[in-house]
Amino acid sequence: MIPTPERDAWRITRVYLVIGSLWILFSDQITEFLVADTSAFRVISITKGWVYVAVTAIVLYSLIKASLHKTAEAQKEAIKGYGELAIAHEKLAEANAKLRHLALHDSLTGLPNRIALHEELGALLSDPKAHGALLFLDVDNFKYVNDSLGHAVGDELLSNLAERLKTYLPKDWVLFRLGGDEYVLLAKDSHEAEVMAFVDALPQAMSYPFELSNTVVHISISMGITFYPAHGSDPETLLKHADTAMYRAKEQMSNSFVVFDEGMNQAIHDRLLLDQALRGALENEELSIVYQPQYDVKTATICGFEALLRWTNPKLGSVPPHRFIPLAEQSGLILSIGDWVLKNACLFLRELHEQGFSPLSMAVNVSALQLRQPDFTHRLFQILEETQLDPRFLEIEITESTFMGFDDGIKQKLKELRRRGIGIALDDFGTGYSSLSYLRQLPITTLKIDKDFIDDLDHRHTISLVAGIIDVGKVLGMHVVAEGVESHKQLELLSAHGCHRFQGYLYSRPLPPQEALDILRTNHA
Ligand code: C2E
Ligand code: MG
Ligand code: MG
């Protein structure tokens, strides 16, 4: 039981009362019984009184002393406990601060994170007079850095980038890392001119390579920009709009920026509709393939076809490939669609062979995503087996972007295809990196000169360039094909420089299967 002042006092009083009462009750009777003489009785009574006082004094002294001791002990304990409590409290506050720092900062770069951005932006936007900008930054092709150089290099690059960005920040601007290769800059109290001055200077700031522990990396950045309060009055909206603008910047080219405008929301809505519709396209048999003849430049005979995908949707009408193929690549739908194209193009070619057009070849466009699938070669061989097509007549067309972040796996796959006799064409040559080193390293059999060069054959320097591409192709033992040939003059120039094949509206547009067969009959007659 916990002692209380009342309880202690009552205990002492109780002892006093009991001793006092017993003394009064029994001491006189005992004395009377023992002592007959009255004067002796008086002396004993007085002595008894003093003894009583002395005894009670001693008892009271020890009781009060014991009680006060207990109080002093309790007090000491309380003081000690309080000290411990204060230390614990301090530690708790420290741990709390650490936890909050962890929750609000990114562990890789030490920059404030998404939660911190929401908090800061929320507080900022609650003031109707606040103005400034939010810049959404994303490293171009960072995935390739990670995939080809490894995550450790990717991480090192991300923290070096954070350091470099910080050195360029105007006063009062805050840099956040949202995760991955996404950074956000909060330009508080800034006007459009200041923001644009920063944006214009950024490519220069990024033009120096990043010297990492084991390698040197060049990068560029795409940026989406929103101004507040004009483009959003709450953190979610503002960030979403900045993200939308950033995606738009990515679509343009690397190292670019885009300022958000409301029209972009409509564009996103349209894309979503398109994406939804595309998901049902295969099942609903809305896809078809047209075949564009490829001609021998010298003899003008058809030596092959390029299979080109078409999509006609009951509601959307005919949707051009440059609109739906990037979507299919993003959603991964290109994998099933690509298999379908390969299979049907192979079937059609076998049918042509059966009709007697035997040495004809078929070029099929294959997207980078398809080629990156570990089972790509296996699936392709399966299709060839199912369709009973001789692999030597199939050619896959890939674009230079397939080799961004070039990994050895793709090279091995291409070699495996070559071993089976399948041709490999490099499409749209000249529009991308056009690196001679991978032309030499990879087992490419055909070089397709991009239509842009053919369109520009009126200019002398383009003629020299095209002549150069043809020579390079020939030196490396490749077939050279020109695409998008629309005039006799272009054809003559290509012929003069020894280009092997061409395709283009001059002789034929891409045709549905029956018309392709008809033109073949006429051409080979
Ligand atoms: P590409 O492979 O470079 O195909 C050539 C494009 O040029 C085709 O456009 C073709 O119709 C067009 N073309 C050919 N000759 C001429 C000409 O003389 N003048 C003009 N103005 N255009 C000409 P299309 O069919 O719209 O295809 C566009 C792109 O879509 C293709 O470019 C290819 O990259 C992609 N694509 C088409 N089908 C497939 C497919 O089955 N799979 C994949 N992954 N991509 C495909
Ligand atoms: Mg092509
Ligand atoms: Mg092309």
Side-chain angles (χ1 to χ4, degrees):
M1 198 180 281
I2 301 162
T4 64
E6 288 81 9
R7 208 176 284 141
D8 255 15
W10 174 232
R11 189 167 57 87
I12 294 168
T13 313
R14 237 174 21 225
V15 171
Y16 175 75
L17 277 175
V18 170
I19 293 175
S21 307
L22 289 175
W23 190 262
I24 290 166
L25 276 175
F26 298 113
S27 67
D28 281 354
Q29 284 172 19
I30 294 169
T31 315
E32 258 172 14
F33 177 72
L34 292 175
V35 185
D37 180 31
T38 40
S39 63
F41 183 82
R42 264 193 58 215
V43 172
I44 286 173
S45 284
I46 292 166
T47 316
K48 192 164 61 76
W50 283 112
V51 168
Y52 173 76
V53 169
V55 168
T56 46
I58 290 165
V59 170
L60 282 179
Y61 171 79
S62 19
L63 284 175
I64 290 171
K65 189 178 138 198
S67 173
L68 286 178
H69 255 301
K70 250 194 262 170
T71 312
E73 281 300 313
Q75 215 170 16
K76 252 197 250 166
E77 281 297 310
I79 290 170
K80 200 171 128 209
Y82 182 76
E84 279 169 8
L85 204 68
I87 293 169
H89 200 261
E90 218 169 86
K91 280 190 182 156
L92 202 69
E94 265 172 36
N96 236 348
K98 266 189 202 152
L99 272 178
R100 193 173 152 73
H101 186 87
L102 276 179
L104 295 179
H105 289 80
D106 161 50
S107 57
L108 178 68
T109 59
L111 291 176
N113 62 11
R114 185 186 287 272
I115 306 171
L117 174 66
H118 271 262
E119 273 191 14
E120 181 143 6
L121 209 50
L124 204 65
L125 294 177
S126 63
D127 174 5
K129 288 199 289 293
H131 68 94
L134 196 73
L135 293 80
F136 201 116
L137 281 65
D138 191 285
V139 180
D140 297 322
N141 300 312
F142 179 71
K143 192 181 164 328
Y144 295 127
V145 174
N146 248 353
D147 287 353
S148 54
L149 300 174
H151 285 262
V153 175
D155 282 357
E156 200 185 351
L157 175 66
L158 289 175
S159 44
N160 283 22
L161 172 62
E163 287 308 314
R164 186 177 300 181
L165 284 171
K166 275 198 273 183
T167 61
Y168 284 91
L169 288 197
K171 195 174 151 278
D172 289 338
W173 286 32
V174 191
L175 179 65
F176 298 82
R177 177 170 176 239
L178 298 196
D181 59 338
E182 295 178 343
Y183 294 83
V184 161
L185 265 175
L186 179 59
K188 287 192 256 187
D189 301 323
S190 300
H191 291 284
E192 197 173 332
E194 292 165 66
V195 174
M196 287 310 163
F198 173 83
V199 167
D200 288 337
L202 197 65
Q204 171 69 16
M206 288 298 124
S207 63
Y208 312 106
F210 285 85
E211 292 184 9
L212 309 178
S213 337
N214 293 320
T215 182
V216 173
V217 181
H218 283 268
I219 56 162
S220 60
I221 282 181
S222 295
M223 223 180 327
I225 303 164
T226 42
F227 289 96
Y228 60 86
H231 296 146
S233 52
D234 63 90
E236 285 79 23
T237 312
L238 201 59
L239 199 59
K240 200 178 96 203
H241 288 170
D243 190 23
T244 303
M246 190 277 292
Y247 267 95
R248 203 30 94 78
K250 285 251 179 232
E251 281 168 11
Q252 294 188 348
M253 54 168 153
S254 56
N255 232 354
S256 66
F257 71 88
V258 163
V259 178
F260 175 78
D261 82 70
E262 287 298 333
M264 287 176 191
N265 277 341
Q266 182 60 41
I268 286 184
H269 180 73
D270 292 350
R271 261 169 74 137
L272 266 174
L273 278 183
L274 208 63
D275 188 62
Q276 281 297 323
L278 188 58
R279 282 168 200 275
L282 247 185
E283 266 175 43
N284 302 333
E285 300 186 352
E286 293 166 14
L287 298 177
S288 62
I289 305 175
V290 286
Y291 299 93
Q292 186 172 38
Q294 292 183 336
Y295 293 85
D296 183 298
V297 170
K298 280 196 192 121
T299 61
T301 48
I302 295 175
C303 41
F305 287 96
E306 177 178 7
L308 293 158
L309 186 59
R310 294 290 175 263
W311 176 30
T312 311
N313 176 271
K315 281 198 195 127
L316 303 165
S318 159
V319 187
H322 69 84
R323 280 197 66 205
F324 74 83
I325 285 179
L327 267 186
E329 282 172 341
Q330 277 162 29
S331 63
L333 274 175
I334 196 70
L335 299 179
S336 48
I337 293 178
D339 276 0
W340 181 87
V341 174
L342 274 164
K343 185 167 178 183
N344 284 282
C346 288
L347 273 177
F348 181 59
L349 184 63
R350 219 203 68 197
E351 202 182 309
L352 296 181
H353 285 177
E354 278 171 2
Q355 302 228 8
F357 304 105
S358 165
L360 282 184
S361 62
M362 179 65 74
V364 181
N365 294 283
V366 166
S367 99
L369 190 72
Q370 284 173 273
L371 205 61
R372 288 209 186 96
Q373 298 307 301
D375 62 345
F376 175 74
T377 44
H378 175 73
R379 280 155 80 153
L380 183 54
F381 297 153
Q382 219 170 351
I383 288 172
L384 284 166
E385 206 153 290
E386 274 168 32
T387 55
Q388 290 291 302
L389 181 75
D390 183 339
R392 286 176 302 145
F393 299 108
L394 177 67
E395 183 175 62
I396 62 161
E397 288 196 5
I398 52 186
T399 56
E400 288 170 295
S401 59
T402 310
F403 306 113
M404 286 183 64
F406 172 68
D407 69 272
D408 213 42
I410 289 190
K411 186 170 160 185
Q412 295 313 324
K413 277 185 206 154
L414 294 180
K415 282 189 171 164
E416 204 182 334
L417 297 182
R418 275 305 297 141
R419 279 198 290 274
R420 294 269 183 131
I422 298 167
I424 292 152
L426 192 56
D427 205 354
D428 306 340
F429 186 74
T431 54
Y433 285 75
S434 309
S435 153
L436 282 178
S437 90
Y438 64 60
L439 269 192
R440 274 190 329 118
Q441 281 179 44
L442 297 168
I444 291 162
T445 50
T446 302
L447 207 57
K448 293 191 79 172
I449 309 173
D450 192 67
K451 181 177 178 302
D452 279 359
F453 291 101
I454 310 302
D455 285 345
D456 205 38
L457 274 178
D458 290 336
H459 296 103
R460 266 212 354 229
H461 63 270
T462 312
I463 297 175
S464 319
L465 206 63
V466 168
I469 296 176
I470 295 171
D471 283 344
V472 167
K474 282 179 159 178
V475 166
L476 295 173
M478 298 169 184
H479 280 112
V480 184
V481 181
E483 62 179 6
V485 176
E486 292 180 346
S487 73
H488 286 289
K489 195 176 160 219
Q490 291 166 347
L491 184 56
E492 276 159 25
L493 277 167
L494 290 165
S495 174
H497 287 100
C499 180
H500 301 115
R501 293 183 182 188
F502 79 96
Q503 58 188 89
Y505 293 177
L506 176 65
Y507 278 15
S508 175
R509 287 176 175 259
L511 304 166
Q514 186 54 50
E515 287 176 42
L517 190 61
D518 293 344
I519 202 171
L520 199 53
R521 286 198 178 115
T522 321
N523 182 264
H524 281 235

